[in-house]
Amino acid sequence: MLTAWHLPVTPFVTIHDNHLVVTLWLAGNDLPQRVVIRYEEDNEELMMPMKRQSTAPARGVVAWRGRISLAQGQPRRRYSFKLLWADRQQWFSPRGMGAFPPPRLETFAVDYPDTGPGWVADQVFYQIFPDRFARSHQRKPEADHSYWHHSAGTETRHKAWHEPLTHEAGGSTFYGGDLDGITEKLPYLQKLGVTALYLNPVFTAPSVHKYDTQNYREVDMAFGGNDALLRLRQQTRNKGMRLILDGVFNHTGDTHPWFDRYQQHSQGACHHADSPWREWYHFDESGQALNWLGYSSLPKLDYGCAGVVDEIYRGENSVVRHWLQPPWNMDGWRLDVVQMLGEAGGAKNNQQHIAGITQASCEVNPEAFVFGEHFGDARQWLHNDAEHSAMNYRGFSFPVWGFLANTDISYDPNHIDAETCAAWLEDYRAGLSHQQQLRMFNQLDSHDTARFKTLLGKDVAHLPLAVIWLFCWPGVPCIYYGDEVGLDGGNDPMCRKPFPWDKAQQDLALLSLYRRIATIRRKSKALRHGGCQVVFAAGDVLVFVRVWQKERVLVALNRGEKTTCTLPFSALLAEKSWHCLEGSGVIDGMALALPGVSATVWQGK
């Protein structure tokens, strides 16, 4: 049997003398006579012979080494390995061994130079739904004024922080959380290990969720207005924390003056065919504006109109650029329903405009982070570098849901074993460059899903496994506010409950786990920048290793009864002494003894 090891990180990939030096490790009784690295230079397939090395990385392991010139070609360096015998060949790629060349987008890939924001991989993000996180001490009563919420057909409602949330009038119910409240809680977030914030929309809008934008250039007074955002920005910068805003650019709200369904302004596109903004929306033959998924309160912007393009991202003082410039200096954008944005009421030329938003952001701030909301497969946008990253529902959240909560995004049953879960995870990562993998935005849940704790139901004991998985899998972890203290809740609006600041209502053991695992991640280069390989996946047990230079971090997840398992020989794990960082599993050579329903993290050097 032939076994191969390669990850697109050191010690397998190094830069020397303007070349990418690539190493492949092989072990087995029938080693190939020759090895060739297949790579691309400006999309042209090239072959380069590799040299067998005289020194071995581990007992019984043979190393082959090749060099790819960095003087030419595009920054994304894709490659795979062709193994040759006298009468046959095999190919090795991120999907393992195969009898034929792997598809182009399922090869190893590293970005050199990496033009994306390098700071992202080092962060721990925290997502905040502003109305429900914290109410500032200095909040004034007039900030809680009521008004008629047209699209809901009701007056807005205001509740005390301790009052329970109900399904009634979910988009019109306010608890009074604000941006100054977030500023006051920054010390709490720092103690948690958070280094970056992603805020749900903060711009003026009639709903509590603010995805129905009324003014892109003003912060909603319910959240404290522009001055409160500026105070938050200044304090986050003082503390070295990043701040990302939510860009809702696919549609506006129907109360936006450009559209003005309720005639609160003048010349809005809804009622005036000669409106200066009429072409900013797409109207059908009956005069109805096309909207987002049938929600008439959310008319879609038409990016076929130059005015929309200039106002949103292309113009020198466009919305995208405005908030990245002084005095705001935001660190980037999360793009709402990004795959649906486009022309003529649909998604025509979508990637062109998403790339335009990313380019405009980076022209203002070369280190801006732009990532999209994708519940589906985001890889076509990532392959084309239209955005830096994506919310990693398809490549992380859903496999984790299937393995630990036995459900999918439709809340239909999805019982998968560890082998299926590993294949799902690895299939999605294949073809993404290593740097893109490190920037993927990993979450267990969000404002658009039920809380993971609620999804688990009677299997709530699996929750610590998911937390450790979140912080140890490739990508940047993001905590949805309140998850760290055991906040629960089903679908919208119940996933948006107020944060329980009373410690008697908090799961302090869970909070302690979040703090410990955030510290472990911060101290480990392997967890933040390393490659990843699943080394065992069967039944209830999934084990993977993160690799950076000589550091190894081994993570074992067991959702079932206590068990023992023997890992297959791996040169990645050989000759390491292991120290347990979290959990109570035991490792002896290649044998693991795992308690029931447990997660264990070891570090090996």
Side-chain angles (χ1 to χ4, degrees):
M1 180 179 177
L2 182 65
T3 306
W5 297 272
H6 177 81
L7 295 171
V9 295
T10 55
F12 296 97
V13 172
T14 59
I15 307 296
H16 180 70
D17 193 26
N18 206 28
H19 282 78
L20 195 69
V21 182
V22 180
T23 302
L24 175 69
W25 293 354
L26 295 172
N29 296 324
D30 186 18
L31 294 175
Q33 297 167 0
R34 292 186 293 133
V35 178
V36 175
I37 186 169
R38 181 268 186 205
Y39 67 102
E40 294 182 359
E41 186 176 292
D42 291 329
N43 302 323
E44 177 66 17
E45 179 181 77
L46 299 174
M47 298 286 188
M48 177 69 68
M50 302 182 75
K51 294 182 179 180
R52 180 167 173 162
Q53 304 301 294
S54 58
T55 58
R59 185 179 302 174
V61 178
V62 175
W64 291 76
R65 187 165 295 154
R67 292 159 60 89
I68 298 174
S69 174
L70 297 175
Q72 300 85 28
Q74 300 303 305
R76 182 148 301 140
R77 317 288 173 165
R78 297 187 180 277
Y79 58 93
S80 56
F81 301 97
K82 184 180 185 180
L83 284 58
L84 292 160
W85 291 260
D87 58 350
R88 69 187 192 281
Q89 63 180 252
Q90 279 191 291
W91 291 78
F92 183 66
S93 72
R95 300 297 304 277
M97 288 290 185
F100 54 86
R104 179 174 184 265
L105 298 180
E106 293 184 6
T107 57
F108 296 105
V110 293
D111 293 334
Y112 189 85
D114 178 19
T115 58
W119 57 269
V120 173
D122 289 318
Q123 308 307 305
V124 172
F125 270 86
Y126 193 85
Q127 179 190 349
I128 295 178
F129 194 83
D131 181 68
R132 307 290 164 81
F133 181 62
R135 183 183 177 98
S136 62
H137 289 99
Q138 68 266 37
R139 185 177 178 89
K140 295 178 173 57
E142 55 265 29
D144 296 321
H145 73 283
S146 295
Y147 52 86
W148 183 257
H149 187 182
H150 287 91
S151 65
T154 183
E155 284 279 330
T156 56
R157 304 179 182 187
H158 297 270
K159 290 191 173 186
W161 204 258
H162 66 275
E163 290 186 81
L165 181 64
T166 67
H167 287 277
E168 187 178 2
S172 306
T173 300
F174 289 79
Y175 281 83
D178 54 24
L179 299 181
D180 285 321
I182 298 172
T183 300
E184 292 172 5
K185 297 299 184 181
L186 291 180
Y188 163 82
L189 294 172
Q190 284 190 300
K191 187 176 180 181
L192 179 59
V194 169
T195 60
L197 304 182
Y198 148 48
L199 306 183
N200 285 111
V202 298
F203 304 129
T204 300
S207 71
V208 69
H209 54 72
K210 308 299 178 193
Y211 283 97
D212 49 346
T213 312
Q214 185 172 313
N215 188 334
Y216 285 109
R217 296 179 183 271
E218 296 290 336
V219 175
D220 201 293
M221 289 307 299
F223 295 159
N226 287 1
D227 289 344
L229 181 60
L230 190 56
R231 288 190 290 269
L232 176 60
R233 171 72 286 196
Q234 290 170 340
Q235 288 302 309
T236 52
R237 296 194 82 185
N238 290 344
K239 296 179 182 297
M241 300 176 75
R242 304 282 184 161
L243 185 57
I244 300 290
L245 297 182
D246 204 331
V248 189
F249 303 136
N250 171 70
H251 52 264
T252 68
D254 62 358
T255 61
H256 198 294
W258 301 341
F259 194 79
D260 194 26
R261 182 185 299 279
Y262 304 105
Q263 303 187 69
Q264 297 168 307
H265 306 278
S266 63
Q267 294 300 305
C270 182
H271 300 290
H272 298 277
D274 60 349
S275 168
W277 303 290
R278 183 76 174 188
E279 293 184 354
W280 289 34
Y281 301 90
H282 190 84
F283 291 84
D284 62 20
E285 294 179 356
S286 68
Q288 296 296 313
L290 297 187
N291 53 57
W292 179 70
L293 295 183
Y295 291 94
S296 60
S297 62
L298 303 175
K300 272 179 66 73
L301 289 167
D302 187 350
Y303 282 78
C305 175
V308 171
V309 175
D310 288 339
E311 174 66 17
I312 297 298
Y313 70 84
R314 189 168 57 192
E316 286 300 312
N317 193 34
S318 63
V319 172
V320 165
R321 296 174 191 265
H322 172 79
W323 295 102
L324 301 184
Q325 295 169 343
W328 311 103
N329 298 304
M330 297 299 164
D331 292 299
W333 292 99
R334 176 264 193 188
L335 302 179
D336 182 57
V337 293
V338 64
Q339 77 283 357
M340 301 184 74
L341 182 152
E343 302 172 9
K348 181 180 179 182
N349 291 326
N350 171 268
Q351 289 198 28
Q352 169 189 321
H353 295 294
I354 300 307
I357 291 173
T358 302
Q359 180 180 346
S361 299
C362 292
E363 286 175 358
V364 177
N365 176 4
E367 290 206 327
F369 179 36
V370 180
F371 64 100
E373 176 196 25
H374 295 271
F375 277 88
D377 192 341
R379 286 176 293 184
Q380 62 177 302
W381 287 266
L382 298 171
H383 290 155
N384 291 319
D385 293 309
E387 56 196 20
H388 296 131
S389 173
M391 298 182 77
N392 202 15
Y393 288 109
R394 185 62 64 93
F396 177 77
S397 306
F398 297 164
V400 172
W401 286 16
F403 185 64
L404 295 181
N406 302 132
T407 190
D408 67 7
I409 184 56
S410 301
Y411 309 112
D412 293 324
N414 188 29
H415 296 262
I416 62 175
D417 59 16
E419 188 174 12
T420 302
C421 182
W424 188 345
L425 289 162
E426 296 293 75
D427 175 80
Y428 199 83
R429 287 200 305 132
L432 292 181
S433 74
H434 175 67
Q435 288 78 7
Q436 287 178 314
Q437 292 179 34
L438 298 180
R439 287 192 288 265
M440 293 301 284
F441 203 78
N442 293 340
Q443 292 184 276
L444 297 176
D445 48 25
S446 75
H447 66 292
D448 283 324
T449 74
R451 296 270 181 174
F452 187 69
K453 180 179 180 179
T454 297
L455 291 176
L456 287 171
K458 63 180 177 61
D459 294 321
V460 69
H462 291 170
L463 184 53
L465 281 68
V467 174
I468 289 173
W469 205 342
L470 173 66
F471 279 79
C472 295
W473 192 253
V476 56
C478 180
I479 306 164
Y480 181 41
Y481 82 97
D483 275 359
E484 75 276 15
V485 294
L487 195 58
D488 61 4
N491 284 343
D492 172 22
M494 304 311 292
C495 57
R496 304 172 182 181
K497 294 178 181 178
F499 189 103
W501 289 107
D502 182 352
K503 288 190 176 181
Q505 299 176 359
Q506 298 180 2
D507 184 338
L508 298 181
L510 183 61
L511 177 60
S512 178
L513 172 61
Y514 268 93
R515 288 172 174 168
R516 293 196 308 272
I517 196 64
T519 298
I520 289 171
R521 185 178 189 276
R522 185 181 72 248
K523 293 180 178 180
S524 171
K525 190 82 169 183
L527 290 180
R528 291 180 285 113
H529 292 271
C532 179
Q533 186 173 96
V534 174
V535 295
F536 184 90
D540 294 325
V541 178
L542 189 148
V543 184
F544 61 91
V545 62
R546 300 294 304 276
V547 175
W548 178 263
Q549 295 183 0
K550 294 183 179 181
E551 183 192 3
R552 307 287 187 269
V553 175
L554 188 67
V555 182
L557 307 169
N558 175 25
R559 69 178 182 185
E561 301 294 326
K562 71 176 182 178
T563 188
T564 59
C565 61
T566 301
L567 305 180
F569 171 77
S570 173
L572 298 177
L573 307 180
E575 302 174 5
K576 296 292 178 183
S577 59
W578 298 97
H579 170 64
C580 185
L581 300 177
E582 178 65 38
S584 54
V586 176
I587 184 170
D588 183 8
M590 291 291 100
L592 301 183
L594 304 177
V597 188
S598 66
T600 307
V601 181
W602 296 271
Q603 185 178 50
K605 291 186 177 180

